[in-house]
C-alpha cells in the first residue's frame, strides 16, 4: 500500500484563474502579450526556481510588461490567481487518517505565503517541497528524486498527483505511481485502484 501521497498545489489543492490575473496585469501594462509572460514565462519560472526575490521578481516582470504597478498592488493582482479548492478538502482529510501527505509544488514565495494564509487544506500536510526553496522545477526528474531522498521513502511507496501531464510523466519515470488531476471524483476513482 502506498503510504505517502504527494500533492501538487496549483490546479489541484487550489484553483488557478489565469484569465483574472492576466486581465489585472493587462490593465496596468503597455505590453500586448501579458499572458505569454505570466503563464510560466521565463521571469515567472525564475521566481519559482528561487532565482529572483519577490521584490526583484516584481521589478523584472513589471519592466517586461511596461507596467508602473507598485509592489503591494502587484502582489494583490498576482495573488488573484489563487483560490481555495473546497471540493478537495474532504478527500484530503480522509487520506490524512491513513497516509502521509506531502506537498510538492512549483511556486513562488508570494503565492505560497498567500496560500498558507488563505487555504486551510495545507494544515493537513506534513512537509512542503517548494521549487523556490529547492531551486528545482518540475518536470525535472531531480525534483522528484530530491523529494524521495529527503523523505527517505522508495518511489514505489508513493503516489503523486498533479494537473500537468508532463509532471505526471516525469514522476512516473522515477518510479512513482502518478495520476493527473482533472476532478475530485476522478481522483477518488484513481486512488481506489491502488489504496
Amino acid at each position: 500500500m502506498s503510504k505517502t501521497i504527494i500533492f501538487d498545489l496549483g490546479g489541484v489543492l487550489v484553483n488557478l484563474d489565469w484569465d483574472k490575473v492576466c486581465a489585472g496585469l493587462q490593465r496596468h501594462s503597455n505590453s500586448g502579450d501579458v499572458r505569454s509572460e505570466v503563464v510560466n514565462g521565463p521571469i515567472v519560472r525564475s521566481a519559482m526556481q528561487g532565482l529572483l526575490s519577490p521584490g526583484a521578481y516584481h521589478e523584472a516582470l513589471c519592466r517586461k510588461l511596461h507596467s508602473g504597478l507598485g509592489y503591494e498592488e502587484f502582489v494583490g493582482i498576482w495573488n488573484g490567481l489563487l483560490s481555495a479548492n473546497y471540493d478537495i478538502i474532504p478527500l484530503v482529510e480522509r487520506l490524512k487518517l491513513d497516509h502521509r501527505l506531502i506537498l510538492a509544488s512549483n511556486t513562488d514565495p508570494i503565492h505560497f505565503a498567500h496560500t498558507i494564509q488563505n487555504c486551510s487544506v495545507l494544515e493537513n500536510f506534513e512537509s512542503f517541497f517548494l521549487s523556490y526553496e529547492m531551486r528545482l522545477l518540475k518536470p525535472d526528474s531531480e525534483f522528484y528524486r530530491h523529494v524521495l531522498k529527503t523523505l527517505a521513502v522508495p518511489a514505489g511507496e508513493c503516489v503523486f498527483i498533479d494537473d500537468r501531464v508532463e509532471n505526471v510523466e516525469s514522476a512516473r519515470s522515477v518510479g512513482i505511481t502518478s495520476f493527473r488531476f482533472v476532478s475530485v471524483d476522478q481522483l477518488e476513482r484513481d486512488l481506489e485502484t491502488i489504496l
Side-chain angles (χ1 to χ4, degrees):
M1 181 197 287
S2 300
K3 280 291 189 184
T4 301
I5 304 178
I6 305 167
F7 279 83
D8 175 42
L9 181 60
V12 181
L13 298 173
V14 301
N15 299 312
L16 302 177
D17 189 342
W18 287 109
D19 290 340
K20 179 180 178 182
V21 75
C22 288
L25 290 172
Q26 187 71 65
R27 283 193 299 273
H28 300 275
S29 171
N30 293 322
S31 171
D33 195 15
V34 167
R35 183 171 286 269
S36 66
E37 286 299 328
V38 171
V39 184
N40 297 323
I43 296 170
V44 175
R45 289 179 62 80
S46 291
M48 290 192 301
Q49 200 169 353
L51 303 178
L52 294 173
S53 69
Y57 169 55
H58 158 249
E59 290 175 11
L61 192 59
C62 286
R63 188 166 49 249
K64 183 73 175 182
L65 298 178
H66 307 289
S67 171
L69 270 174
Y71 181 75
E72 294 303 324
E73 195 173 6
F74 168 78
V75 167
I77 292 171
W78 185 237
N79 284 335
L81 176 69
L82 309 168
S83 63
N85 179 1
Y86 294 107
D87 293 342
I88 204 166
I89 294 174
L91 173 60
V92 168
E93 290 176 344
R94 285 199 310 275
L95 291 171
K96 185 185 177 186
L97 298 175
D98 298 311
H99 301 88
R100 183 183 191 192
L101 301 187
I102 305 298
L103 177 78
S105 178
N106 285 352
T107 189
D108 65 77
I110 297 171
H111 274 167
F112 193 67
H114 177 79
T115 307
I116 282 285
Q117 290 175 349
N118 295 283
C119 299
S120 62
V121 69
L122 294 189
E123 295 168 5
N124 295 286
F125 287 78
E126 172 188 316
S127 300
F128 303 136
F129 289 87
L130 309 173
S131 59
Y132 68 87
E133 292 180 346
M134 296 163 60
R135 300 290 176 102
L136 292 166
L137 289 173
K138 296 178 287 182
D140 185 341
S141 61
E142 284 306 310
F143 184 103
Y144 307 98
R145 290 191 181 97
H146 174 82
V147 172
L148 295 171
K149 183 177 179 182
T150 304
L151 294 175
V153 292
E157 293 180 13
C158 296
V159 176
F160 175 67
I161 299 152
D162 198 293
D163 62 315
R164 297 177 67 93
V165 171
E166 61 269 31
N167 296 342
V168 168
E169 290 174 351
S170 182
R172 286 179 182 155
S173 77
V174 300
I176 302 172
T177 299
S178 302
F179 297 112
R180 182 176 179 216
F181 180 83
V182 264
S183 70
V184 174
D185 289 344
Q186 182 62 54
L187 178 57
E188 295 203 62
R189 289 193 292 272
D190 291 338
L191 291 174
E192 282 171 7
T193 67
I194 58 161
L195 298 181

